[in-house]
Amino acid sequence: MRFSLPLGVIIGAQVVTCVSAQAVLWGQCGGQGWTGPTTCSEGVCTVSNPYYSQCLPGTNTATSVPPPSSTTTSTAISTASTTSSASTAASSTSSSASPSGTVLNISPQWAAAYAKASPAVAKMSLQDKVNLATGVGWENGHCVGNTPAVSSIGFPGLCLEDSPVGVRDSDLVSVFPAAINVAATFNRTLMNQRGVAMGQEFKGKGVNVALGPMMNLMRASAAGRNWEGFGGDPYLSGEGAFETITGMQSSGVQATAKHYINNEQEHFRETSTSNVDDRTQHELYALPFLRSVQANVAAVMCSYNQINSSFACENNKMLTGVLKQEYGFQGYVMSDWWATHSTLGINAGLDMTMPGDISASSGTTYFGANLTSAVNAGSVTQARINDMATRILAAWYLLGQDSGYPAVNFDAWNNAAAFNQHINVQSTHGTLIRQIDAASTVLLKNTNGALPLKAPKTIAIVGNGAANSSRGANGYTDRGGDDGVLGLGWGSGTANFPYLISPLDAITSRAATDGTVVSSSTSDTDLTGAKTAATGKDVAFVFITADSGEGYITVEGNAGDRNSLSAWHSGDALVAAVAAANKNTVVVVNSVGPINMEAWVSNTNVTAIVSIGVPGQEAGHGLVDVLYGAYNPSGRLPYTIGKSINDYSAQVVFNQAGAITPIPYTEGLFIDYRHFDQAAITPRFEFGFGLSYTTFSYSGLTISGSTAGGTRQSGPGSSLDPWLHTPVVTVSFSIHNNGTVAGNEVPQLYLTFPASANFAPKNLKGFDSVFVGAGAQTTVTMQLSRFDFSTWNVVTQRWEVVTGTTTISIGASSRDIRLTGTIAN
Ligand SMILES: *[C@@H]1O[C@H](CO)[C@@H](O)[C@H](O)[C@H]1NC(C)=O
Ligand SMILES: *[C@@H]1O[C@H](CO)[C@@H](O)[C@H](O)[C@H]1NC(C)=O
Ligand SMILES: *[C@@H]1O[C@H](CO)[C@@H](O)[C@H](O)[C@H]1NC(C)=O
Ligand SMILES: *[C@@H]1O[C@H](CO)[C@@H](O)[C@H](O)[C@H]1NC(C)=O
Ligand SMILES: *[C@@H]1O[C@H](CO)[C@@H](O)[C@H](O)[C@H]1NC(C)=O
Ligand SMILES: *[C@@H]1O[C@H](CO)[C@@H](O)[C@H](O)[C@H]1NC(C)=O
């Protein structure tokens, strides 16, 4: 379907007449390291920052570009007075803006929402429009973010609430497995069902806008918020984002794709610049956001950091050039909390400021009266303020929130206040959570038939990670403590546990049905107690943890990002103590991401290793289902586990360098397994790896179809071009379960492009989770689009199918390739 709608986006009138020249108009024309043309055939070459000059709408008068400065300064926008006339790059692009443009491939749902929003906006005063965009200020409403009501159109205002794992700051809610877990299922159905269930809970509490999913990539393995996202691969993250958003929004809540963009570590998140090249940006970091737009996401949250020395919330290239133009995003961009730095950031594409004030409870705002003055002075155009209002209102209509949506019924700042109705929104979601926990548990090692358990007479359980927290499940503010089983990492991406099932309780309860005697030692440091518990038992479980979170909380010296990849609390010593005493030691890794396992991974007494991630409230139950074989493990690593942190291509930058610390993404496309493959480094456990209690054989690969032919689009919205995204190649193969138990296999499709295209050796472009009965065989079909075969061409500024012979590999992991074929494009 193709829709053309009048939209108040900031694009020059000339865009409409030469829509086919989008590539040229939005192209790069200068910047540090740029070797291409420095003049624009359309528009004006405008210095966005030292790294990037871009052809932006305007009269083509520039003939040369000033040489980029090598000094890093704050952007012109952030220092501009809010009422000054067009003296910044951002405002000059809008001063000649046309109120209408054409965006291709708008979904029917958005088209219908715009049909409702546009007439409503026409009725609104400037004050009303400004109110729609301006949060009421920190702790001034019931939710973590709130916008005021607009009575002229019967708009009740919006409640915005964290987090990506469930409704934060409330009670009687579920705590879902973190995104890193649902990514490990490689199962779109579970991703979607989790989204549906979370969406129901947000709606039940009266939340209009859920602040998730989070889709920043695991670029640096120690980065604090990695567990909130979907791991180290852009395709897997994109699918996770797509399914989560589709699920959440099907329940009626607006989802928020965050954090846009390049917020891949916690240190200096407000005082750093992520310097990312255009191809890497498109093919890695922005890809989950494109998938979010394809899922009709209502909102996008811009991040704290700068990109090429320009704050994410006032980066014209990323907000307007890429998100709203290339991707045709129809919803609104909100700031991360206090990530707005100016009023004129609006001209770069920011639509809503959150929580509204310049700093917590400052009583001032860059929007509000400042925005009204800017519109009156003409430095923000009428077209732009109408566009902002239309986007915000359309998102509300998109989700049908104008009809029968529940009012907020909890107070995020005080769950004990009389206002709280204490509505229980958990439904039967605990069952789904347990299912996801089992399906996200990754079996990394299993020798001598250690697992599943076969009614052992005695079990030892060692380690604090097996137990309840000494303070109870919610005893640490925003889960900022590593004490007991880790259901989540810490920070704003959390929620209050209704309960948290510890492995100790779950195993003890299950063991009782076999008459098994369970002994335990739940200290991480009492090695004597650990040995005593483990000695002479049929099997000894040892639980180790690694935690991380958001940088506003420091836990055991870790300021958000992890200081190392070692297990916490001297976990290696605990494993060594247990393994020295028991020949059947099973290590359970309860961690936010990869840990270094080299100290014990090859110890022959360590017969099994199980990774449970951060599984939310049903932690112990999901684990028991795998340990006892009620669920045959099918989880796969959504990241690489290296033998050394130095084997990864990118590290957290821990040292400040100047007022704005540069974070150079010099590894480009080569993060996680892409780097290990490219640099021929053998990981301990590769991306996509995970064992089963059965074995599968693969056969009969067939490849049909072609990327040839068809007519492609150009112009705003053309990244959604059906020519790019319609499946054109079909890949089929058979999977035979040649073992003795039924289970799910996770076949993965990787593409290897012609060397000239400079891709990583393997690139994930398909996966499935397929149930196969014991002895049974099933046919798997995966489809590929031209987009899957494409690269972002930085010169033409569009997706181009890579020409030449591309290899299609089907594997049980990124390094366990079972079938290969080729296609000529
Ligand atoms: C950042 O700079 C690089 C290198 O010049 C460029 O390729 C990329 O497009 C720039 N991105 C932004 C958002 O300015
Ligand atoms: C307008 O913005 C400026 C910063 O540019 C700020 O100092 C001022 O307090 C704001 N005005 C209001 C009314 O919030
Ligand atoms: C863990 O906490 C739960 C909930 O409070 C409780 O029912 C259970 O008995 C505790 N387990 C242990 C071993 O104390
Ligand atoms: C394995 O366990 C046995 C005791 O069951 C112990 O004698 C042996 O030293 C252990 N081996 C290692 C490598 O820890
Ligand atoms: C099952 O298939 C795998 C993979 O092809 C193979 O390694 C294994 O030997 C087969 N097992 C049996 C029992 O045939
Ligand atoms: C996903 O998980 C469910 C539950 O374990 C399973 O039944 C199904 O086969 C899996 N795969 C897909 C594609 O749904």
Side-chain angles (χ1 to χ4, degrees):
M1 289 252 205
R2 193 170 149 166
F3 285 80
S4 294
L5 278 188
L7 284 180
V9 291
I10 332 165
I11 51 176
Q14 64 274 25
V15 178
V16 178
T17 54
C18 56
V19 115
S20 61
Q22 180 213 10
V24 182
L25 182 59
W26 294 96
Q28 183 165 1
C29 53
Q32 281 175 25
W34 173 251
T35 53
T38 55
T39 53
C40 301
S41 57
E42 307 288 343
V44 182
C45 186
T46 308
V47 181
S48 298
N49 55 63
Y51 301 90
Y52 192 77
S53 299
Q54 184 182 16
C55 301
L56 291 173
T59 313
N60 186 11
T61 51
T63 51
S64 66
V65 193
S69 152
S70 59
T71 54
T72 300
T73 55
S74 61
T75 63
I77 297 168
S78 65
T79 54
S81 135
T82 55
T83 52
S84 72
S85 59
S87 61
T88 66
S91 60
S92 67
T93 63
S94 66
S95 58
S96 61
S98 155
S100 66
T102 303
V103 175
L104 303 170
N105 306 308
I106 295 170
S107 71
Q109 293 85 354
W110 272 120
Y114 268 68
K116 292 178 184 168
S118 299
V121 170
K123 283 190 257 172
M124 292 170 70
S125 65
L126 173 58
Q127 183 64 50
D128 285 347
K129 295 171 198 170
V130 167
N131 283 347
L132 273 184
T134 309
V136 300
W138 183 238
E139 296 193 358
N140 281 342
H142 293 297
C143 300
V144 74
N146 308 269
T147 60
V150 176
S151 54
S152 60
I153 56 158
F155 176 76
L158 298 175
C159 157
L160 300 85
E161 186 60 46
D162 293 312
S163 81
V165 297
V167 186
R168 187 184 177 207
D169 302 322
S170 191
D171 57 3
L172 302 172
V173 298
S174 303
V175 174
F176 289 83
I180 198 68
N181 277 62
V182 81
T185 69
F186 282 71
N187 182 323
R188 289 182 179 84
T189 308
L190 293 176
M191 293 171 179
N192 191 280
Q193 288 175 351
R194 174 176 169 274
V196 170
M198 286 199 298
Q200 288 167 352
E201 298 204 7
F202 279 101
K203 181 174 179 180
K205 291 284 182 183
V207 175
N208 300 90
V209 187
L211 302 176
M214 124 88 199
M215 54 199 73
N216 295 109
L217 298 185
M218 190 181 285
R219 169 179 178 266
S221 48
R225 298 184 78 173
N226 282 340
W227 59 275
E228 290 188 54
F230 301 94
D233 178 82
Y235 179 86
L236 178 61
S237 299
E239 297 309 293
F242 183 90
E243 295 297 343
T244 304
I245 292 163
T246 306
M248 289 173 76
Q249 295 200 159
S250 75
S251 296
V253 71
Q254 300 182 34
T256 308
K258 71 183 192 181
H259 309 88
Y260 192 72
I261 191 171
N262 308 129
N263 184 186
E264 270 84 28
Q265 67 168 59
E266 283 301 282
H267 277 79
F268 320 119
R269 68 178 183 180
E270 287 152 61
T271 54
S272 61
T273 171
S274 299
N275 299 330
V276 188
D277 72 85
D278 198 31
R279 179 177 174 192
T280 299
Q281 190 73 302
H282 278 82
E283 295 184 10
L284 265 57
Y285 299 99
L287 184 64
F289 292 93
L290 174 59
R291 289 296 279 147
S292 300
V293 172
Q294 290 179 311
N296 281 341
V297 74
V300 169
M301 182 191 290
C302 52
S303 53
Y304 287 114
N305 55 289
Q306 302 186 353
I307 304 134
N308 292 0
S309 304
S310 150
F311 278 109
C313 291
E314 51 192 36
N315 190 302
N316 183 290
K317 157 97 172 168
M318 292 315 303
L319 298 182
T320 299
V322 175
L323 184 63
K324 292 181 177 177
Q325 291 294 302
E326 285 173 20
Y327 295 180
F329 174 56
Q330 299 296 297
Y332 58 97
V333 176
M334 73 172 82
S335 68
D336 204 335
W337 268 231
W338 306 292
T340 303
H341 292 275
S342 64
T343 301
L344 292 187
I346 288 168
N347 290 333
L350 179 63
D351 301 303
M352 180 188 281
T353 190
M354 273 294 145
D357 35 25
I358 289 180
S359 59
S361 307
S362 65
T364 58
T365 179
Y366 289 116
F367 281 39
N370 270 322
L371 174 51
T372 308
S373 309
V375 174
N376 288 333
S379 53
V380 169
T381 62
Q382 289 290 341
R384 181 72 191 98
I385 185 74
N386 287 338
D387 176 44
M388 294 162 69
T390 309
R391 288 172 177 275
I392 294 165
L393 263 194
W396 184 64
Y397 287 117
L398 178 80
L399 278 303
Q401 294 185 350
D402 55 319
S403 166
Y405 203 78
V408 184
N409 52 58
F410 72 105
D411 187 283
W413 315 109
N414 183 1
N415 285 176
F419 179 81
N420 291 277
Q421 292 175 31
H422 304 287
I423 294 177
N424 186 340
V425 293
Q426 298 169 91
S427 181
T428 55
H429 298 156
T431 308
L432 173 66
I433 292 169
R434 180 173 185 160
Q435 228 182 342
I436 296 172
D437 284 353
S440 63
T441 298
V442 187
L443 181 64
L444 294 173
K445 179 179 180 181
N446 192 18
T447 53
N448 310 331
L451 296 177
L453 297 175
K454 294 152 201 85
K457 289 195 174 50
T458 51
I459 290 179
I461 296 177
V462 175
N464 181 250
N468 286 338
S469 167
S470 64
R471 295 194 191 176
N474 299 313
Y476 296 84
T477 303
D478 294 338
R479 312 302 81 83
D482 180 15
D483 176 3
V485 57
L486 286 180
L488 299 172
W490 74 77
S492 67
T494 58
N496 296 333
F497 287 104
Y499 59 82
L500 173 54
I501 305 293
S502 74
L504 176 60
D505 285 339
I507 295 171
T508 302
S509 158
R510 175 62 181 80
T513 66
D514 297 328
T516 305
V517 176
V518 177
S519 338
S520 63
S521 168
T522 56
S523 160
D524 284 338
T525 47
D526 176 7
L527 302 184
T528 309
K531 282 183 183 159
T532 304
T535 300
K537 305 303 181 324
D538 287 351
V539 52
F541 289 99
V542 52
F543 287 78
I544 56 176
T545 60
D547 204 354
S548 75
E550 204 172 343
Y552 68 88
I553 299 174
T554 294
V555 178
E556 300 182 32
N558 295 263
D561 304 312
R562 282 188 282 166
N563 295 337
S564 79
L565 296 188
S566 299
W568 284 30
H569 307 167
S570 306
D572 289 346
L574 191 66
V575 174
V578 173
N582 193 301
K583 283 188 293 194
N584 190 20
T585 295
V586 177
V587 181
V588 179
V589 180
N590 181 190
S591 167
V592 287
I595 65 163
N596 188 315
M597 304 180 177
E598 293 309 299
W600 40 263
V601 69
S602 305
N603 183 324
T604 50
N605 284 3
V606 173
T607 50
I609 304 172
V610 178
S611 170
I612 64 170
V614 273
Q617 69 190 40
E618 291 280 335
H621 284 152
L623 174 63
V624 157
D625 290 345
V626 168
L627 296 181
Y628 281 83
Y631 185 83
N632 183 355
S634 64
R636 299 290 184 265
L637 288 176
Y639 48 74
T640 300
I641 299 179
K643 294 179 181 174
S644 158
I645 194 168
N646 298 318
D647 287 349
Y648 295 89
S649 57
Q651 306 297 338
V652 172
V653 173
F654 287 102
N655 295 318
Q656 188 180 343
I660 300 294
T661 299
I663 303 180
Y665 284 40
T666 41
E667 74 289 342
L669 300 172
F670 303 102
I671 65 168
D672 202 81
Y673 69 91
R674 287 169 166 75
H675 166 68
F676 282 80
D677 291 351
Q678 173 80 4
I681 298 169
T682 306
R684 175 50 61 188
F685 296 113
E686 72 270 18
F687 177 90
F689 177 79
L691 299 170
S692 166
Y693 295 148
T694 188
T695 47
F696 300 94
S697 64
Y698 289 59
S699 63
L701 177 67
T702 65
I703 300 169
S704 62
S706 160
T707 58
T711 311
R712 65 177 309 173
Q713 304 170 341
S714 55
S718 61
S719 281
L720 304 177
D721 187 352
W723 182 87
L724 275 174
H725 296 285
T726 302
V728 289
V729 170
T730 301
V731 177
S732 301
F733 52 93
S734 292
I735 294 180
H736 177 209
N737 180 342
N738 64 2
T740 53
V741 286
N744 278 62
E745 172 68 336
V746 177
Q748 299 154 42
L749 186 158
Y750 294 89
L751 293 186
T752 304
F753 291 95
S756 57
N758 295 318
F759 271 90
K762 289 193 203 81
N763 302 272
L764 184 72
K765 298 289 176 176
F767 61 80
D768 205 347
S769 172
V770 187
F771 180 82
V772 196
Q777 176 155 330
T778 190
T779 301
V780 180
T781 300
M782 295 184 185
Q783 294 197 298
L784 297 167
S785 66
R786 293 185 180 90
F787 186 75
D788 293 321
F789 289 103
S790 291
T791 186
W792 177 255
N793 185 313
V794 298
V795 177
T796 62
Q797 287 287 294
R798 64 179 201 173
W799 297 100
E800 311 271 13
V801 172
V802 176
T803 54
T805 300
T806 292
T807 300
I808 299 176
S809 301
I810 305 296
S813 82
S814 62
R815 288 186 171 226
D816 182 7
I817 300 304
R818 306 293 186 86
L819 303 168
T820 57
T822 59
I823 183 168
N825 291 320

